[in-house]
Amino acid sequence: MTQDEVKNALLQVLDRVQSLSGCPSPALKGSDVPGKVLESFDSTVWPVATGWLAKKLDIIIPNDVHIFGTLDGKTLLTIDESVDLVLAKKQSKPPITVAAE
């Protein structure tokens, strides 16, 4: 999985969040901080967006990883920083075992 793949997926998720919230979805750059530039994109939405991203990428993002900011909540991350964090912390989904017929 590449940085571009994660970034594209994240941008799609952010666009979906904005669309479903009825808010505008501006073009975003890697240096943008979603929590500062997107309307209504706050701590109530972050877990949902993280789950959507994990599903889109078919990975597990551990529950203790805050991909939009630091765990203490004092610093919000840029899109590029979020991408790097996802790549560092992602876990593969375990294979699904199918019983033989």
Side-chain angles (χ1 to χ4, degrees):
M1 179 174 310
T2 68
Q3 284 186 317
D4 284 340
E5 290 170 329
V6 175
K7 186 174 183 177
N8 288 335
L10 178 57
L11 291 173
Q12 290 173 14
V13 166
L14 293 173
D15 184 61
R16 180 179 178 197
V17 167
Q18 291 303 103
S19 176
L20 291 174
S21 299
C23 297
S25 186
L28 298 172
K29 301 177 298 217
S31 59
D32 288 327
V33 177
K36 291 183 179 179
V37 298
L38 298 177
E39 287 182 43
S40 302
F41 191 74
D42 57 24
S43 61
T44 61
V45 179
W46 296 336
V48 174
T50 301
W52 286 348
L53 180 63
K55 185 174 182 176
K56 186 173 233 1
L57 295 171
D58 198 30
I59 60 171
I60 295 169
I61 300 172
N63 291 334
D64 64 343
V65 176
H66 176 16
I67 68 167
F68 298 107
T70 56
L71 289 177
D72 64 9
K74 292 183 180 180
T75 304
L76 297 178
L77 301 179
T78 66
I79 290 172
D80 287 341
E81 291 169 330
S82 295
V83 167
D84 291 342
L85 184 59
V86 168
L87 286 168
K89 299 291 185 172
K90 71 178 175 62
Q91 299 172 358
S92 297
K93 287 187 174 181
I96 298 173
T97 305
V98 179
E101 292 185 21

